[in-house]
Amino acid sequence: MPLFGEIVEPVSRALYIDESSDEEDNLEDSGTNVTKVNWEDDTPSSPATILVFYGQLAADFLQKVLHGLNPKSAAHLKEKLLSRNKVPKELNLQIYKLSNGIYGCFCPNVDIGKSSSLVLEELVPIFKRCNQVIVVCSLPAPFFKGNDSTLDLPSAFMRALYTSTFDQKDVVAPLLESPNLVTGVPASILSWCEVFDKPGCLYVSYTDSPHLDSISAEPLVNVFSSVGGGVFKTNVLSFQSAIPEPSSNLYI
Amino acid sequence: METKTNSPAALSVFVVVIISVIMTDTIEETPQLYYPITDVNFDGCTLIVPSVSVGNVGQLCTDLLILSLGCQKTGYLWHQAILPIVGADPYKVSSPDLALPAEVYYSKNHNLVILQLRSSIIKKLRKRFLSDLVLWMKSIGVSQVTVLTGSSNEERIDEQITTEPFRYLVSAESNPSLAETFRSLGWISLEKRLHFPALSKLESLEEDNQNGGQIVIPGGGFAKQLITVCTESNLNCVALIKFCSEGDNIPDALVMLRKLNEWLKLLEVDSMGSPKLVFPHSWNHLFGNPPPRQLY
């Protein structure tokens, strides 16, 4: 939400490709993307659940939780964007084996216009083999549209969307209200699950802080107390702060 | 002794087999675009598709049509070019159904197929998307494609400013009867322009004196390109264009729907000539949340 007096550029709901130039259709792709998932051991035959943590807050949560789990690094995906000036830009997507049959995927933010479909294409073979896909992402609380004004919203809360094949009983958060939308890699994964009849669930954590602390982590803790087949034990999930935030104005 | 494999006939067969193997390996198969939920025969239907354009007029109008006609969701489009989004059902409160970026709806009573697009098409993949889309349209046997689009108010020429801010675009050569129908409804065809953008005064005069020129739909998304691809594939296609600016575009969508209804007679009209509409509940928050009470 803009601050009082802040000048906010109006954006078009038609997004950035709203144009009419014929020449732009003939523009060549400025870069070539190369993505590949490298498994460190053998490719798992049939993982039960894939948990995808997308965005900074969800990734910080996974990193914090991983300390208590002693997971095994299972695979990583590297994407190289070879632009015209030949400067490779790498995207690291890590997959961890959290327990037997449960894999956690740490997916950093990617440019949806350039990479989301490529990332998805590499992950699809893994999704095809697993029983269900659960995605966790975070959005700023002011982005939430509802009947309450932004200032009356809680500091952190969770909403969920799930596919028609996902068991409703396993969803541990209220349904995301229309017209709220989720974009990017989480949306592409859940859309794929719906179109190709794979049970999938997306948890969206709305927080007013981009940093992981006891307040912003609370909805994630609540969800993972019941999700993940008991992998996330209570002692693992109880923490105050994952990132050392400055607690004083004088010293770090 | 000459072996069998060295004979000219055997060699030619061998070469043909090799060539056919190479060709089947190199020819790209058309990827599946449509994933049905239920089996429906679309043969002979009219297909309505919004172009993601200025003001999202086409998409708003499509939302109104789907809900007001009580259309049934029949499947999804899946293509690399469509930017991903996901949300809750925009038409039913508390429904667990998902809203995906490209959904296909059907009304049996009106012989109508509606493609609702909720996100943009990646620019560099637009050409491929449109050719795949037209291939699918032809494969399901639709008889007529109608594109609903907005166009930028600020790019209008004098004739467009002084007349009703609505135009149609149809290739008269491919479909003269449709052009005649639109003329009988009092609609105005989209004017051709000699120069675009930023006309100087002299160029405007020059433009007035010449019949030539090009079709431009500023801010109209893929509408013009879709018409071109449809025409190349011998598929009837018409674009309905509403001039508008970004803002509250619900009135523009209502105008578009009234025009569409004048032509296709889809919805019943009241004594004032307005179609009976049902508004989606998802429109309640088009302009954000209510203001904070602490302000007052």
Side-chain angles (χ1 to χ4, degrees):
Chain A
M1 192 176 74
L3 297 170
F4 183 73
E6 183 185 355
I7 298 170
V8 179
E9 290 284 327
V11 292
S12 165
R13 275 180 274 126
L15 299 180
Y16 53 86
I17 60 163
D18 174 29
E19 40 68 40
S20 60
S21 164
D22 293 344
E23 287 75 27
E24 288 182 73
D25 271 357
N26 300 322
L27 280 178
E28 283 184 16
D29 190 359
S30 59
T32 311
N33 293 48
V34 183
T35 53
K36 187 167 172 57
V37 172
N38 299 310
W39 291 96
E40 293 185 5
D41 291 334
D42 292 338
T43 310
S45 54
S46 57
T49 304
I50 296 278
L51 302 167
V52 182
F53 293 78
Y54 181 81
Q56 194 56 53
L57 190 78
D60 286 346
F61 177 79
L62 178 63
Q63 276 183 344
K64 170 68 185 170
V65 167
L66 286 177
H67 289 303
L69 284 175
N70 296 322
K72 192 181 169 193
S73 179
H76 64 276
L77 178 144
K78 280 196 174 178
E79 180 187 57
K80 280 189 178 179
L81 175 64
L82 303 170
S83 57
R84 274 186 182 155
N85 54 12
K86 302 291 178 192
V87 179
K89 187 182 162 187
E90 287 201 357
L91 161 86
N92 283 320
L93 185 145
Q94 298 284 340
I95 299 173
Y96 293 95
K97 186 178 181 181
L98 303 179
S99 75
N100 276 339
I102 297 184
Y103 286 78
C105 175
F106 160 63
C107 184
N109 286 320
V110 291
D111 183 341
I112 57 167
K114 289 177 181 166
S115 302
S116 68
S117 57
L118 287 159
V119 169
L120 186 65
E121 274 171 23
E122 285 302 315
L123 293 176
V124 158
I126 307 167
F127 294 157
K128 274 182 180 169
R129 285 196 297 270
C130 73
N131 296 337
Q132 61 175 4
V133 181
I134 294 172
V135 189
V136 185
C137 69
S138 55
L139 286 174
F143 284 14
F144 183 79
K145 291 179 181 174
N147 292 324
D148 295 326
S149 80
T150 307
L151 292 180
D152 296 334
L153 291 171
S155 293
F157 55 99
M158 186 70 89
R159 291 289 185 269
L161 287 169
Y162 52 92
T163 63
S164 50
T165 51
F166 194 82
D167 193 346
Q168 194 179 345
K169 294 197 293 291
D170 296 339
V171 182
V172 291
L175 195 67
L176 181 68
E177 297 90 342
S178 183
N180 293 289
L181 294 169
V182 181
T183 59
V185 173
S188 66
I189 294 173
L190 197 69
S191 302
W192 181 87
C193 289
E194 177 66 14
V195 172
F196 296 96
D197 294 329
K198 177 66 67 179
C201 183
L202 169 64
Y203 288 103
V204 189
S205 169
Y206 286 93
T207 61
D208 57 8
S209 161
H211 303 294
L212 187 73
D213 53 32
S214 55
I215 295 171
S216 61
E218 195 183 345
L220 294 163
V221 170
N222 290 339
V223 165
F224 284 98
S225 304
S226 7
V227 170
V231 171
F232 303 97
K233 296 185 180 72
T234 318
N235 60 337
V236 173
L237 290 170
S238 61
F239 59 88
Q240 290 300 311
S241 175
I243 300 170
E245 289 288 319
S247 55
S248 161
N249 290 332
L250 293 174
Y251 311 109
I252 295 176
Chain B
M1 194 177 95
E2 197 175 85
T3 59
K4 196 175 180 183
T5 49
N6 285 341
S7 69
L11 268 176
S12 63
V13 168
F14 180 71
V15 168
V16 167
V17 168
I18 290 292
I19 288 171
S20 63
V21 166
I22 291 168
M23 283 183 72
T24 47
D25 278 353
T26 51
I27 292 171
E28 281 185 28
E29 281 186 22
T30 309
Q32 185 179 350
L33 184 68
Y34 178 60
Y35 290 84
I37 303 170
T38 52
D39 285 332
V40 178
N41 184 9
F42 298 132
D43 199 29
C45 287
T46 295
L47 188 138
I48 291 177
V49 53
S51 171
V52 184
S53 54
V54 60
N56 297 83
V57 177
Q59 291 155 294
L60 290 166
C61 181
T62 305
D63 261 347
L64 275 177
L65 259 185
I66 290 168
L67 201 58
S68 303
L69 295 174
C71 294
Q72 167 203 6
K73 195 198 286 187
T74 62
Y76 306 105
L77 295 196
W78 182 263
H79 197 279
Q80 204 184 3
I82 305 170
L83 279 174
I85 61 148
V86 69
D89 192 329
Y91 306 125
K92 287 182 214 152
V93 182
S94 304
S95 163
D97 289 350
L98 293 178
L100 297 196
E103 296 180 331
V104 178
Y105 290 83
Y106 173 64
S107 172
K108 188 179 181 183
N109 295 338
H110 304 91
N111 214 23
L112 194 70
V113 188
I114 301 174
L115 167 61
Q116 175 61 302
L117 291 173
R118 296 201 174 89
S119 70
S120 302
I121 307 301
I122 295 173
K123 193 192 292 181
K124 66 185 180 190
L125 300 173
R126 184 166 66 178
K127 233 176 181 176
R128 197 197 309 169
F129 171 73
L130 291 179
S131 61
D132 290 345
L133 182 66
V134 171
L135 274 178
W136 170 69
M137 288 168 178
K138 288 203 69 136
S139 71
I140 60 172
V142 292
S143 59
Q144 167 77 52
V145 177
T146 304
V147 194
L148 310 180
T149 183
S151 184
S152 303
N153 249 344
E154 66 272 17
E155 297 286 356
R156 286 177 296 172
I157 55 174
D158 286 353
E159 290 80 2
Q160 293 167 342
I161 294 170
T162 53
T163 54
E164 188 186 28
F166 179 84
R167 294 289 185 270
Y168 72 87
L169 177 62
V170 59
S171 169
E173 302 84 40
S174 65
N175 206 338
S177 64
L178 199 57
E180 189 50 45
T181 306
F182 291 152
R183 273 194 293 274
S184 68
L185 289 169
W187 297 3
I188 306 168
S189 171
L190 184 71
E191 296 85 355
K192 283 186 177 178
R193 298 168 72 162
L194 196 61
H195 298 283
F196 178 82
L199 294 176
S200 68
K201 198 173 179 182
L202 185 65
E203 286 167 336
S204 290
L205 287 171
E206 186 188 359
E207 184 180 29
D208 284 344
N209 295 331
Q210 293 197 16
N211 292 325
Q214 56 175 330
I215 292 289
V216 283
I217 310 175
F222 62 67
K224 185 185 143 189
Q225 286 82 359
L226 182 58
I227 289 189
T228 308
V229 181
C230 281
T231 308
E232 286 166 4
S233 306
N234 298 319
L235 188 60
N236 285 335
C237 187
V238 56
L240 306 188
I241 304 150
K242 174 76 181 72
F243 292 112
C244 61
S245 300
E246 290 287 350
D248 180 358
N249 297 103
I250 292 174
D252 299 309
L254 292 173
V255 170
M256 176 72 85
L257 188 63
R258 193 164 52 79
K259 291 286 184 185
L260 189 67
N261 202 45
E262 274 179 32
W263 169 37
L264 294 176
K265 308 277 187 280
L266 299 167
L267 293 157
E268 286 180 34
V269 291
D270 59 17
S271 55
M272 302 291 288
S274 302
K276 292 175 182 172
L277 300 173
V278 185
F279 287 81
H281 77 92
S282 54
W283 286 16
N284 291 343
H285 302 289
L286 278 181
F287 304 103
N289 295 352
R293 279 171 295 178
Q294 292 86 335
L295 273 177
Y296 309 107

